[in-house]
Amino acid sequence: MSSAGTSSAPRRSLWASARKRFFYSPVASLVTIAAAALLAWAGWQVLDWAVIRAVAEPDYAACKLPDRGACWGFVAEKWRLIIFGRYPYEEQWRPAVATAIVVAMLVVSALPAGWTRRGARALALGWIAALAAFFFLMRGGALGLAVVGSERWGGLPLTVILTLFAIAASAPIGVLLALGRRSQLPLLRSLATAYIELVRGVPLITVLFVATFVFPLVLPPGWRIDPFWRVAIGLVLFQAAYMAETVRGGLQTLPRGQLDAGRSLGLGYWQLQRAVVMPQALVAVIPAFVNNLLSTFMDTSLVTVVSMYDLTGSLRLALGDPRWRDFFIEGYLFIASMYFLASFAMSSYSQWLERRLNIDLGR
Amino acid sequence: MSAAVGDEAWRRRQRARLRREWLMQGALLLVVLALVAGVAQNVAANLEARQIKSGFGFLRDPAGFNIGELLFDYSAGDSYLRAFAVGMANTLRVSMAGIVLASVLGVVVGLMRLSHHGLVAWLGSAWVEVFRNTPLLIQLLTIYLLATELLPDSSAPISIDAVALLSKQGLQVAVPAEGTMALGVAVVTGLLAAAAALAAARRWLPVGAGLIAAGAGLAGALVAWLAFGAVDGWSRPEVDGFLISGGASLTPEFLALWLGLSLFTSASIAELVRAGALAVPIGQWNAALALGLTRRKAIAGVIFPQALRLAIPPLASQYMNLIKNSSLAVVIGYPDLVSIGNTSINQNGQALEVIVIIMAVYLSLNLVVAVAMGAVNARVTRAPR
């Protein structure tokens, strides 16, 4: 840890710090030994199962041997189905490229260097272009690409696009709801508050049920709405309420003097929001915003309940093959590690951002 | 607003502003009403086209489906209303069990993360990161599949001294044969023990007497319950061909949901416990240690009570999240309110009414948690400083 390079005798200081952390009292030493033994045993079991006795080839007969370990052959056999769902096999480069584009855009947006007025404009244009490219590649229908209807989209691309669409579309709605909740107009305030509290009080599944069963009833007779867009809009409506609360948190950090100063300069309501309030309030909530992104990413796994084949759903599809269904542990570990890596990266990023922001604001 | 404020020009501007605000609200009201009317018209037309009835009259019709898990009598011939009541009872049962287990695990893991011991703190962090960074749905499905695929068949269960049997059929435990009597005795003993502990603890503890009394009450109730069973006789689970009979039974669906909800929520609760303890100013630590308290006493008497104050509002929202997340029961087939609702939508198509019922139940449950935790919060913040 911090001892590296600070001492002329790093070996001794390493031992000293180990003693301070692990062997500072008899009880601590006992706990260390017991926990280390337990960890070593568990680690060996996992290693033995996942690597030493594992079967890596998609060889069903080898996987069925009695003393085999993990059967990664299931993942090797079915990974295309798990990652791309029911998208036509020959065309799967399209979702791969499309997903790479939007994920690259996400990474670019995460660099704080771009968070200037000009950068924000460029990012907004970039997002519009990236999303357009995504939907064009996925759907096709021009430039020699065959049309693939959204009912065949699935796997990781579906998870990614539902997450990004839900966040991107719910952000402006959330800002409006947050402003509405703090408005002077009693009717607007109570409507915004009622919406936010209603949505935050019910589980996401009920909102997805509304999207699946009620949206078709609400549309004028004869109109139809794709299951993909139903679910996407449901997610947006759900996420908007949480986004509103996040933005409201940012609005509350703004000192009152900022509003008074803006008003005394003669700014109107929208001018004030655009030039004074939002630039400060939104920057303050970027870490919370990343956490919203994270929870939406995990929440999208619920769309399998309403028969969408996102990452979780397409794994269940792959496990539907009776030959391979015994290897569900390997399958779930595979997608859980994808979720884990992405979530862990996002939450570490959000923590890093928070520290950085606190330094910037001199807190 | 009194008319005496400001000069004439200011008052004029003020009046104009008020007029504008009323106009805007009027326009908003019109838009909302038009939207509602349009939606209502569409819904009516669509329902008619699909020949779906509307209204809550269906609640008195026979439901016609069976439910695997019952807290009170129900059969397929009973009404939808009764089926929904069964579902709500199942939601409440798993949520309450989950809240208890998640709190216990969360506090333990949170304290582990605060430990000076490097390895213990690391184990705590690993727990939090694993359960927080994977979707609850995947955790639930994994636990459920593990339980239903890897546990032994019910003809050869894992047996712990014939007191508890674990198999694909779930967990069966021995209970006193006279169940209701045993419960009555346990409740009375528990209340007495809690009252006695409260009176004793108040004398030497500034805060936390309530917690100790609750613990003593639970312990007393458990002892009385066990003693009743020992005197009066047990109903033990027994393997009977392919089925297990006798004792009290928890289904694999309930176990998986309970465990999954508890593990997932315990990670968030652990974070709250840690954040609460870290938010207590360092001066409080210094003062407590300077007074000669040991580290353990400083935590129990100084840090924990203050951390509790900070942790209770977010804890309330974690409990609400757990209740809402229990709706994921539908993916593993535990018959909670949402899965019963789903079944009845598939049967009679009255989605609108069913969704309204489900939402109303969750909103009222949230309200109950908010009120209860508000009362606890008021009690904790009122404690002597």
Side-chain angles (χ1 to χ4, degrees):
Chain A
M1 295 229 67
S2 61
S3 61
T6 52
S7 157
S8 56
R11 191 171 276 274
R12 208 181 61 198
S13 85
L14 202 69
W15 165 239
S17 82
R19 201 170 59 184
K20 215 173 131 199
R21 282 169 52 115
F22 301 118
F23 298 103
Y24 52 84
S25 75
V27 178
S29 307
L30 263 178
V31 170
T32 304
I33 293 168
L38 192 74
L39 272 177
W41 179 80
W44 169 251
Q45 292 289 321
V46 169
L47 191 73
D48 182 47
W49 177 79
V51 181
I52 298 176
R53 288 189 297 123
V55 177
E57 304 79 41
D59 177 357
Y60 179 71
C63 279
K64 276 311 228 185
L65 289 180
D67 61 341
R68 57 100 199 164
C71 173
W72 300 117
F74 165 68
V75 175
E77 169 88 8
K78 297 279 185 188
W79 69 273
R80 297 268 294 244
L81 179 60
I82 297 172
I83 299 229
F84 296 115
R86 298 186 300 156
Y87 206 87
Y89 194 84
E90 299 74 34
E91 304 280 342
Q92 284 178 356
W93 62 272
R94 282 159 55 181
V97 173
T99 311
I101 291 175
V102 287
V103 171
M105 197 58 217
L106 190 66
V107 172
V108 170
S109 314
L111 303 174
W115 299 345
T116 57
R117 226 155 246 262
R118 271 178 58 199
R121 208 162 298 154
L123 281 179
L125 287 176
W127 270 111
I128 292 171
L131 289 177
F134 182 94
F135 283 108
F136 171 70
L137 276 170
M138 289 297 282
R139 188 165 162 70
L143 298 180
L145 296 181
V147 176
V148 178
S150 62
E151 72 281 354
R152 303 207 59 178
W153 300 4
L156 190 62
L158 187 64
T159 296
V160 167
I161 197 62
L162 282 176
T163 307
L164 291 180
F165 181 77
I167 284 291
S170 68
I173 305 177
V175 169
L176 290 180
L177 279 173
L179 289 177
R181 193 168 184 173
R182 283 167 62 93
S183 160
Q184 306 257 328
L185 310 177
L187 181 64
L188 183 57
R189 193 169 58 228
S190 31
L191 280 176
T193 311
Y195 178 81
I196 293 170
E197 293 305 329
L198 173 75
V199 171
R200 277 160 39 91
V202 300
L204 175 56
I205 287 196
T206 58
V207 176
L208 292 177
F209 277 1
V210 169
T212 313
F213 299 116
V214 180
F215 281 6
L217 293 179
V218 166
L219 290 175
W223 289 28
R224 274 186 44 80
I225 175 168
D226 237 39
F228 170 79
W229 288 108
R230 282 204 301 244
V231 167
I233 292 171
L235 282 172
V236 169
L237 293 180
F238 181 75
Q239 194 52 41
Y242 287 84
M243 202 62 102
E245 287 300 275
T246 305
V247 174
R248 194 164 71 106
L251 293 176
Q252 278 169 347
T253 61
L254 207 65
R256 227 200 114 70
Q258 293 279 336
L259 291 178
D260 293 339
R263 268 197 215 107
S264 66
L265 285 173
L267 296 180
Y269 179 81
W270 290 110
Q271 283 175 314
L272 189 66
Q273 301 301 335
R274 227 178 69 82
V276 180
V277 175
M278 283 304 152
Q280 301 182 67
L282 292 186
V283 166
V285 296
I286 290 176
F289 189 79
V290 178
N291 288 337
N292 276 358
L293 181 67
L294 178 59
S295 59
T296 309
F297 176 61
M298 300 219 275
D299 280 348
T300 53
S301 61
L302 261 73
V303 303
T304 63
V305 177
V306 288
S307 312
M308 301 279 284
Y309 297 101
D310 73 319
L311 202 50
T312 317
S314 56
L315 173 69
R316 297 173 89 191
L317 210 60
L319 287 172
D321 183 342
R323 262 161 65 91
W324 295 99
R325 75 176 302 265
D326 285 347
F327 308 111
F328 63 90
I329 299 181
E330 290 84 344
Y332 278 106
L333 275 179
F334 177 58
I335 61 167
S337 57
M338 279 201 272
Y339 277 110
F340 180 84
L341 288 178
S343 309
F344 190 70
M346 278 190 262
S347 68
S348 312
Y349 170 71
S350 140
Q351 281 160 20
W352 172 77
L353 214 56
E354 203 157 351
R355 277 197 300 276
R356 199 188 115 100
L357 218 58
N358 285 346
I359 295 167
D360 276 3
L361 299 177
R363 280 186 204 147
Chain B
M1 223 169 268
S2 74
V5 181
D7 63 358
E8 183 54 37
W10 186 83
R11 281 203 295 272
R12 211 163 39 234
R13 280 203 307 280
Q14 201 64 9
R15 276 198 300 275
R17 195 172 70 90
L18 270 177
R19 246 197 326 273
R20 202 167 62 234
E21 287 185 355
W22 279 110
L23 233 111
M24 271 155 69
Q25 300 208 67
L28 183 67
L29 189 64
L30 281 181
V31 169
V32 170
L33 287 180
L35 210 66
V36 169
V39 163
Q41 206 180 3
N42 285 343
V43 169
N46 280 317
L47 287 179
E48 206 180 302
R50 288 164 210 208
Q51 298 181 323
I52 298 173
K53 284 186 300 179
S54 62
F56 288 91
F58 78 97
L59 285 175
R60 279 192 295 275
D61 298 346
F65 52 82
N66 281 310
I67 301 177
E69 220 154 315
L70 300 171
L71 287 183
F72 47 85
D73 280 341
Y74 167 87
S75 65
D78 283 329
S79 66
Y80 276 107
L81 191 63
R82 202 167 170 86
F84 282 123
V86 170
M88 192 174 135
N90 282 335
T91 294
L92 282 177
R93 179 164 76 124
V94 78
S95 303
M96 276 173 356
I99 283 175
V100 172
L101 185 59
S103 307
V104 172
L105 287 175
V107 169
V108 169
V109 175
L111 292 178
M112 277 171 76
R113 291 203 68 184
L114 288 170
S115 163
H116 269 334
H117 194 285
L119 215 51
V120 172
W122 183 84
L123 282 174
S125 313
W127 176 288
V128 169
E129 295 299 346
V130 166
F131 288 117
R132 209 177 42 165
N133 285 326
T134 46
L136 173 59
L137 184 74
I138 291 181
Q139 293 177 25
L140 281 178
L141 287 170
T142 311
I143 295 174
Y144 181 62
L145 282 172
L146 282 175
T148 48
E149 302 271 331
L150 295 191
L151 284 178
D153 283 325
S154 51
S155 52
I158 303 172
S159 169
I160 304 161
D161 237 13
V163 171
L165 300 181
L166 189 64
S167 70
K168 283 197 171 105
Q169 208 188 316
L171 179 70
Q172 282 77 29
V173 289
V175 290
E178 292 284 335
T180 329
M181 281 269 282
L183 200 66
V185 171
V187 167
V188 171
T189 319
L191 286 178
L192 288 177
L198 192 65
R202 276 241 173 96
R203 236 171 278 153
W204 52 271
L205 256 188
V207 284
L211 280 179
I212 289 179
L218 282 177
L222 192 66
V223 168
W225 191 73
L226 290 175
F228 187 92
V231 173
D232 192 58
W234 295 93
S235 159
R236 289 176 194 279
E238 271 157 24
V239 180
D240 184 10
F242 288 105
L243 283 174
I244 295 175
S245 56
S249 177
L250 297 174
T251 62
E253 288 81 20
F254 175 84
L255 287 174
L257 188 61
W258 181 33
L259 204 60
L261 284 174
S262 306
L263 292 176
F264 184 75
T265 313
S266 75
S268 310
I269 293 181
E271 283 298 272
L272 295 182
V273 170
R274 192 175 84 105
L278 290 181
V280 176
I282 189 80
Q284 297 285 329
W285 276 104
N286 294 342
L289 296 177
L291 282 173
L293 298 183
T294 62
R295 207 178 131 77
R296 201 161 303 157
K297 277 190 177 162
I299 289 180
V302 179
I303 305 302
F304 187 68
Q306 299 189 66
L308 204 60
R309 262 172 223 172
L310 292 167
I312 282 191
L315 193 61
S317 71
Q318 285 307 327
Y319 287 167
M320 291 179 196
N321 281 346
L322 189 144
I323 295 176
K324 286 187 280 174
N325 283 336
S326 73
S327 60
L328 288 180
V330 68
V331 293
I332 56 173
Y334 175 76
D336 80 321
L337 182 66
V338 170
S339 34
I340 302 250
N342 195 22
T343 312
S344 59
I345 290 178
N346 288 334
Q347 277 193 354
N348 62 14
Q350 291 201 281
L352 219 52
E353 292 83 358
V354 170
I355 288 172
V356 166
I357 292 173
I358 294 177
M359 284 187 165
V361 169
Y362 278 105
L363 288 174
S364 2
L365 285 180
N366 273 338
L367 203 65
V368 170
V369 173
V371 169
M373 292 301 273
V376 172
N377 197 28
R379 174 80 189 78
V380 172
T381 38
R382 225 174 345 105
R385 283 166 193 266

